[in-house]
Amino acid sequence: MTVRPRRRIHLAAHFPGVNSTTVWADPRSKSQIGFSSFEHLARTAERGLFDFFFLAEGLRLREHKGRIHDLDVVGRPEALTVLNALAAVTSPIGLAATVNATFNEPYELARRLATLDHLSGGRAAWNVVTSSDAFTGENFRRGGYLDRADRYTRAAEFVAVARELWDSWTPDGLSRPFAHRGQHFDIAGEFTVPRSPQGHPVVIQAGDSGEGREFAARTADVIFTRHGTLEDGRAFYADVKRRLAKYGRSVDDLKIMPGVSVVLGDTAAEAQERAAGIRRQQVSPQNAILALEQIWGTDLSSYDPDGPFPDFDPVPDASLTQGRTRRGDTVAMAEKWRALSREKGLSIRQTVIEASGRQSFIGTPEAVAAELEAFVRQDAADGFILVPHLTPGGLDEFVDRVVPLLQERGAFRTEYRGTTLRSHLGLPDPAGKG
C-alpha cells in the first residue's frame, strides 16, 4: 500500500436537518430554522479553523403517504440568504450553499453567488445539485420537464455559463459583453457584478454515480461523497482522481471530502455505548417503519418495528414517498436487510439501526484523530465534511477535543493563512481573461 507523506486535512461543517441523522428529541436540540442556530454552528466551525460551512437545501417538502415527511424541516430559510447574513458575523470561514441547477437560471444565480463572494470577501461556494423529479418541478413553471439523462448535461452547461459570466469582468475591473449559445441556454448581455475576490466561487458537487463522478472530474473543485470504510474510500478516491487528467487537471485540483459523523468517549467502550444510544434515538420505532416503507414502496404501518420483516418483495416504481430518490435496486436491498435480520436475529428496528448506521468515526479523541489522518494519508479522502447529530451544538466537542490533537500531529492548520475559501482549500485562483 502506497502511503503519501503527511498532508494537511481539510475540514468542513454541514448543518444537519432532514433524514434520520438529526436527533430531534434530545433536549439540547434547538431550532432548525432560527438564525442563532446557523450562527452557532458556523462560528464553532470557524473557531475550529474549518475550511467552510455547508448548507443543504430542498425545493419542496417531501411527502410520505400523502403527508409531509416526518423527517423533513418545515420553514428552513433559503440558503444563500442565510449565508449572506452569516458573512457579517464570520470571517474567514467559507460559506457554501446548495443550489439546484435544474430549476434556476445561470444569469440570476451567478449574480447571487458573486454577490455573496463580494460580501464575504471571497468565501462563497456553490454545491451544484440536479433533479429530474416532476414532484419538485410542480413548484416551477417548467415542471418536471427535464429528462433524467439530461440533468448532468444541463448542469455542466450551467456551470460553464456561470463561469463565462464571472469571467466577463477582467481582474482590473473592465466589463465586457457576453454571449452564450448552447443546448440549454441562449443568453447575451452584460454581467452586472464585478469580478469577485476569489475570481469564481468554489464549485462543489455531491454524488457517487458514474455520471456524478465524471461531472465532478470535469467541473468541480470539491466533491461531497460518502463511503463507509477505508477500502471503499480508497477505491472511490482513485477512480475520481484518475478521471482528472482527461480534462487537463491535476490530482490537487479536486478535493474529495466525504460526509462523516463522529462520536467521542473517554474510552472506546464509552464511545461505542454513546454511538449505540444515538442510533436508537435516530431510528425510533416510527422511523424504522418509515425507512422500510421507502424500500418496500407500500404501507407497512401494521407491522411491528420489534417484529420480523415482510415476506414479500418491494413494489417496483412505487410512489409512496415523493421528493426522495429511491434507493437503487430495492429488491436487492430488501433481501440484504432480511438476510442481515436472519443472520443476527434482529427485528425490523434493530436491522435498520445496524444497516443504516451513520457514525463514521467512533472512539476516544486520540483514536479518532489518528483515524482521520490515516484516511487522508492513505488516499481515501482529502478531508471530511462533518455532519453532527445535534443542532446547533453537535460540533462543539469535536472542535474542543479532536482539533487540538490534529494540530499536535501536524495534520491540521493552527491558523488561517489566507482570507478566501480557495486559499483554505489550496486551490488556485482561476485565470482572469484580460
Side-chain angles (χ1 to χ4, degrees), residues 80 99-113 126-131 142 145-146 150-166 180 182-187 203 215 218-219:
L80 278 171
V99 187
N100 197 298
T102 303
F103 299 114
N104 283 283
E105 296 297 322
Y107 185 86
E108 188 269 343
L109 181 55
R111 290 182 71 242
R112 293 167 65 202
L113 288 163
W126 169 25
N127 178 40
V128 183
V129 296
T130 65
S131 175
R142 293 179 183 268
Y145 76 99
L146 191 66
D150 292 333
R151 59 187 185 136
Y152 277 118
T153 60
R154 177 185 166 96
E157 188 177 342
F158 196 124
V159 175
V161 175
R163 285 173 169 158
E164 289 179 39
L165 295 171
W166 295 326
H180 177 91
Q183 177 184 353
H184 294 278
F185 307 106
D186 183 352
I187 61 175
V203 171
F215 177 69
R218 179 175 62 250
T219 303

Side-chain angles (χ1 to χ4, degrees), residues 5 15 29 35 37 51 75 104-105 121 140 143 146 151 155 192 199 202 220 226 267 334 341 374 376 379:
F15 190 91
S29 181
F35 182 72
S37 291
D51 290 4
N104 283 283
E105 296 297 322
F140 299 87
L146 191 66
R151 59 187 185 136
T192 59
V202 168
R226 59 184 179 184
T267 66
S341 173
V376 172
D379 287 344

Side-chain angles (χ1 to χ4, degrees), residues 61-65 69 133 135 319-324:
L61 290 171
R62 297 170 302 166
E63 295 180 8
H64 184 70
K65 295 191 289 191
H69 192 292
D133 180 8
F135 174 77
S319 58
L320 196 69
T321 301
Q322 297 277 6
R324 177 185 174 92

Side-chain angles (χ1 to χ4, degrees), residues 390-402:
L390 284 178
T391 304
L395 201 62
D396 296 17
E397 188 176 20
F398 181 90
V399 168
D400 292 337
R401 302 188 68 186
V402 178

Side-chain angles (χ1 to χ4, degrees), residues 42-50 93 395-397 399-400 403 407 416:
R43 285 188 160 182
T44 301
E46 187 168 73
R47 178 166 60 85
L49 305 178
F50 282 33
I93 192 170
L395 201 62
D396 296 17
E397 188 176 20
V399 168
D400 292 337
V403 167
Q407 292 168 332
Y416 287 112

Side-chain angles (χ1 to χ4, degrees), residues 293-367:
E293 289 177 334
Q294 290 177 341
I295 294 175
W296 259 260
T298 190
D299 186 341
L300 301 175
S301 56
S302 62
Y303 278 73
D304 181 358
D306 295 319
F309 273 74
D311 58 5
F312 57 89
D313 286 339
V315 177
D317 301 320
S319 58
L320 196 69
T321 301
Q322 297 277 6
R324 177 185 174 92
T325 302
R326 294 195 78 196
R327 306 184 187 189
D329 185 343
T330 54
V331 174
M333 179 164 285
E335 183 49 41
K336 180 179 177 180
W337 281 22
R338 284 188 294 217
L340 178 63
S341 173
R342 290 192 299 267
E343 177 189 350
K344 298 191 174 183
L346 303 177
S347 67
I348 290 173
R349 184 186 179 199
Q350 290 169 332
T351 304
V352 174
I353 287 173
E354 177 147 342
S356 60
R358 301 281 182 186
Q359 293 96 356
S360 310
F361 297 95
I362 303 170
T364 65
E366 293 79 8

